[in-house]
Amino acid sequence: MNREEELFDVTIIGGGPVGLFSAFYCGMRELKTKVIECAAELGGKVHFYPDKVLHDIGGIAAITGAEFIEQVVKQGKTFSPEIVLNERIHGLQRLDDGAFELTAESGRRHYTRTIILTIGHGVFVPIKLEQAGVEIYEGRQLHYAVDDIERFRGKRVVISGGGDSAVDWANAIEPIAVKLTVVHRRDEFWGHESSVTRMRNSSAEVLTPYQLDLVAGDGDRIEHVTVRHAETNETLVIEADEVLVNHGIRGDFGGIRGWGLAFDDERIVVNAKMETNIPGIYAAGDVVTHPGKLKLIAGGFMEGPMAVNSAKAYLAPQEEVAPLYSTHHDKLIAMRG
Ligand SMILES: Cc1cc2nc3c(=O)[nH]c(=O)nc-3n(C[C@H](O)[C@H](O)[C@H](O)COP(=O)(O)OP(=O)(O)OC[C@H]3O[C@@H](n4cnc5c(N)ncnc54)[C@H](O)[C@@H]3O)c2cc1C
């Protein structure tokens, strides 16, 4: 067979936290590993919240999203897996010898004996405003994610949305904004109760049930937004310097949808060993569903090693699948010096 690329034991598709921790664990199990990520950088969805403080990563009391990315990328690179960025995988073919040929949108092909899918929600894009022409403010005063919270300091900020992100950002921005208005089309917010209470008790003006109707400006800068009451249609004009829209994200699995994997409600169905319905293909993290699914990084960090152990058992059925203590791992001891 004429392969233009090397054959890997495991190819991990998706370089978010779960893909990276799986890459680390592949190293523990001495598997030749490649990680393919369609974005320009590793870290997955955590890039949506670099300034948010995470308190629920086991063993770490508090860490910002940005610091967490730094740590998980470092850990993922421990055993020097091959890492390919800016590569979106969409095609799959099983070869005569049982290996898989993966095709990227670039046309490049990758060869692997097993696959671990850690693709989260697929390629995620924020749900944008439908208002015609509003994109001229994007990347200026209209935001769908926050890359630098400091841009809101001393500004009149409007946040539209009612989920975790909107509530978390409201709490983070309220202390530094000169005025913060939160607009949500329902009366209830979906954030953690304590976060919602904190937001409601802050100086933020919370307008519900209102929806963002119009973002208006002079073509260079946003000047105000118009919000509409969901029931009475009454409108209010709010002066604004910056607008943050958190209307959720939409995932797109692209060609992976057509691989023949069993899906349930936009999630890949796996068993307790993180096996999909296709032998040799495993999945972990936000992309999977199973009866005990915990949709948190902590849950994915259990599923990743399970998927790796299953891949190892598929490749070397004679080898015992046993928990390994990293402290006793020869390569890690050598690295410690
Ligand atoms: C605002 C917000 C706050 C959160 N707060 C917390 C929290 O406090 N605690 C917590 O535990 N969790 C939190 N989460 C959830 C947490 O971020 C996810 O559970 C975690 O990122 C899942 O990791 P993952 O690796 O499974 O998927 P992701 O992080 O989604 O990574 C998937 C990766 O796969 C890539 N990819 C997708 N399709 C392809 C393809 N075809 N080819 C190549 N690459 C592909 C994507 O680009 C992405 O980088 C939060 C999420 C959000 C949005």
Side-chain angles (χ1 to χ4, degrees), residues 14 18 37-38 44-45 49 52 54 56 89 119 122 165 286 297:
V18 180
E37 165 58 48
C38 64
K45 272 199 282 301
Y49 50 94
K52 188 170 106 88
L54 297 160
D56 53 0
I89 294 298
I119 53 175
S165 302
D286 275 7
I297 291 165

Side-chain angles (χ1 to χ4, degrees), residues 148-228:
D148 177 12
I149 193 173
E150 281 301 312
R151 71 156 46 247
F152 300 107
R153 187 174 289 279
K155 302 274 185 65
R156 296 166 302 178
V157 183
V158 173
I159 297 179
S160 176
D164 275 327
S165 302
V167 173
D168 288 352
W169 283 123
N171 285 327
I173 291 170
E174 184 268 340
I176 61 169
V178 69
K179 182 179 179 231
L180 173 67
T181 308
V182 181
V183 182
H184 178 38
R185 64 198 163 113
R186 299 204 178 86
D187 286 324
E188 300 79 30
F189 286 84
W190 287 104
H192 281 293
E193 290 94 333
S194 61
S195 304
V196 175
T197 304
R198 192 173 142 206
M199 178 186 74
R200 287 194 185 278
N201 289 341
S202 76
S203 70
E205 179 185 31
V206 178
L207 296 177
T208 64
Y210 276 88
Q211 64 185 51
L212 188 59
D213 228 21
L214 188 76
V215 174
D218 61 6
D220 186 34
R221 299 199 65 81
I222 290 176
E223 290 167 340
H224 66 264
V225 302
T226 305
V227 298
R228 181 179 298 277

Side-chain angles (χ1 to χ4, degrees), residues 44-289:
K45 272 199 282 301
V46 186
H47 283 290
F48 277 110
Y49 50 94
D51 292 331
K52 188 170 106 88
V53 179
L54 297 160
H55 294 277
D56 53 0
I57 309 295
I60 301 173
I63 188 167
T64 64
E67 289 164 343
F68 175 65
I69 290 173
E70 199 183 316
Q71 287 299 316
V72 81
V73 168
K74 187 175 172 193
Q75 188 177 42
K77 289 182 175 173
T78 305
F79 294 97
S80 306
E82 175 153 333
I83 294 176
V84 181
L85 298 174
N86 297 307
E87 186 91 305
R88 185 178 183 183
I89 294 298
H90 75 106
L92 174 80
Q93 201 191 332
R94 189 140 215 169
L95 304 175
D96 294 343
D97 62 359
F100 296 101
E101 179 187 79
L102 292 163
T103 317
E105 277 183 346
S106 64
R108 184 175 165 188
R109 288 161 207 278
H110 301 267
Y111 296 92
T112 186
R113 298 170 71 200
T114 65
I115 296 166
I116 299 179
L117 289 163
T118 51
I119 53 175
H121 293 84
V123 175
F124 38 84
V125 285
I127 297 171
K128 298 195 173 181
L129 296 177
E130 286 178 7
Q131 182 189 330
V134 78
E135 58 281 354
I136 57 170
Y137 299 113
E138 244 180 72
R140 293 197 272 172
Q141 305 94 35
L142 173 62
H143 314 278
Y144 293 98
V146 178
D147 51 12
D148 177 12
I149 193 173
E150 281 301 312
R151 71 156 46 247
F152 300 107
R153 187 174 289 279
K155 302 274 185 65
R156 296 166 302 178
V157 183
V158 173
I159 297 179
S160 176
D164 275 327
S165 302
V167 173
D168 288 352
W169 283 123
N171 285 327
I173 291 170
E174 184 268 340
I176 61 169
V178 69
K179 182 179 179 231
L180 173 67
T181 308
V182 181
V183 182
H184 178 38
R185 64 198 163 113
R186 299 204 178 86
D187 286 324
E188 300 79 30
F189 286 84
W190 287 104
H192 281 293
E193 290 94 333
S194 61
S195 304
V196 175
T197 304
R198 192 173 142 206
M199 178 186 74
R200 287 194 185 278
N201 289 341
S202 76
S203 70
E205 179 185 31
V206 178
L207 296 177
T208 64
Y210 276 88
Q211 64 185 51
L212 188 59
D213 228 21
L214 188 76
V215 174
D218 61 6
D220 186 34
R221 299 199 65 81
I222 290 176
E223 290 167 340
H224 66 264
V225 302
T226 305
V227 298
R228 181 179 298 277
H229 194 278
E231 286 146 19
T232 64
N233 277 335
E234 164 221 8
T235 58
L236 297 174
V237 173
I238 304 162
E239 292 187 349
D241 304 308
E242 304 279 341
V243 178
L244 173 61
V245 175
N246 281 149
H247 290 179
I249 47 174
R250 194 179 10 235
D252 176 15
F253 292 121
I256 293 173
R257 250 326 203 153
W259 287 10
L261 292 160
F263 275 81
D264 180 15
D265 196 18
E266 293 304 304
R267 296 284 164 270
I268 296 173
V269 178
V270 291
N271 62 17
K273 295 177 177 175
M274 302 304 125
E275 294 167 326
T276 70
N277 59 314
I278 302 179
I281 304 186
Y282 310 90
D286 275 7
V287 74
V288 299
T289 179

